[in-house]
Amino acid sequence: QNIWRRLAIAYYSPKDVNGNTVDVPIADGSWGTELASTKLATIQALHDKNIPIDIYWIDAGWYGPEKVPPGQTILVNSPWHDYRGDWTVSKDIYPNGFKPIGDLLKKYNIGFLLWIEIEGANPGTQWPTRHPDWYLSSSEDKRNLLLNLGNPDALKGATDYISGMITDAGLTWYRVDSN
């Protein structure tokens, strides 16, 4: 155990410019398709049990079509990747949006991280349907579109959207991993 710990600290732990080990934030992650009520209960339990986390993280799957087709729901088993480009908070999962989650996290002084893959989209989803000129596609892969951040309108649209999410939901961290 001690040999492994020394190895991890010496070679795998982040260091500052002076070579000192840096403390990194501790996050509690959750899948985006988990119901808001479950997330709120988890945050409350983390607080009540004095579990020291710095960040509450919501990953992919929190979004979906603005209007879910009749008889269909966007819940736990929905494949997150099918809705990339429908950057609307799913009312099936988050009936009141992210604000109640953001408010509770702020009350307990816990950061709020949200995964958003704004630069990727699927054909036929909300953003590329409304703004086809914002996206680039490959002749080899027609299933994945890429937001053209060289297009000033696309860059402004993405920036405005992310800024709005930060403000409205109370995000303190924004995660992008460019799938």
Side-chain angles (χ1 to χ4, degrees):
Q1 180 76 26
N2 288 334
I3 292 169
W4 180 88
R5 184 179 296 117
R6 282 188 222 110
L7 171 77
I9 291 170
Y11 297 102
Y12 299 105
S13 297
K15 310 274 191 246
D16 64 19
V17 295
N18 297 317
N20 299 313
T21 302
V22 176
D23 290 332
V24 294
I26 297 173
D28 181 56
S30 66
W31 193 238
T33 58
E34 181 183 69
L35 295 173
S37 57
T38 303
K39 291 183 182 312
L40 290 166
T42 298
I43 294 163
Q44 188 64 53
L46 289 166
H47 176 264
D48 293 348
K49 295 176 192 271
N50 295 314
I51 297 173
I53 65 164
D54 301 303
I55 302 165
Y56 186 79
W57 175 339
I58 298 178
D59 213 333
W62 53 265
Y63 42 84
E66 285 180 296
K67 294 186 176 162
V68 178
Q72 198 176 11
T73 57
I74 308 302
L75 289 175
V76 177
N77 294 324
S78 298
W80 65 269
H81 48 80
D82 287 352
Y83 302 110
R84 290 177 326 123
D86 282 329
W87 301 122
T88 300
V89 178
S90 172
K91 293 293 182 190
D92 286 346
I93 304 168
Y94 304 93
N96 301 307
F98 287 130
K99 185 160 178 32
I101 294 168
D103 288 349
L104 188 60
L105 290 168
K106 184 175 183 176
K107 176 180 174 183
Y108 296 143
N109 199 29
I110 299 171
F112 186 2
L113 182 149
L114 183 66
W115 175 94
I116 306 171
E117 189 187 2
I118 201 76
E119 72 286 354
N122 295 349
T125 56
Q126 178 192 106
W127 277 41
T129 299
R130 291 183 181 165
H131 307 285
D133 57 314
W134 287 10
Y135 288 88
L136 303 170
S137 65
S138 164
S139 58
E140 290 127 27
D141 184 4
K142 297 284 187 194
R143 296 171 301 148
N144 291 299
L145 302 173
L146 183 65
L147 186 65
N148 181 359
L149 296 174
N151 175 330
D153 292 334
L155 179 60
K156 182 173 179 357
T159 302
D160 289 351
Y161 176 79
I162 293 166
S163 295
M165 288 293 279
I166 290 168
T167 302
D168 296 343
L171 301 180
T172 53
W173 293 72
Y174 159 57
R175 172 150 195 250
V176 59
D177 59 20
S178 191
N179 284 293

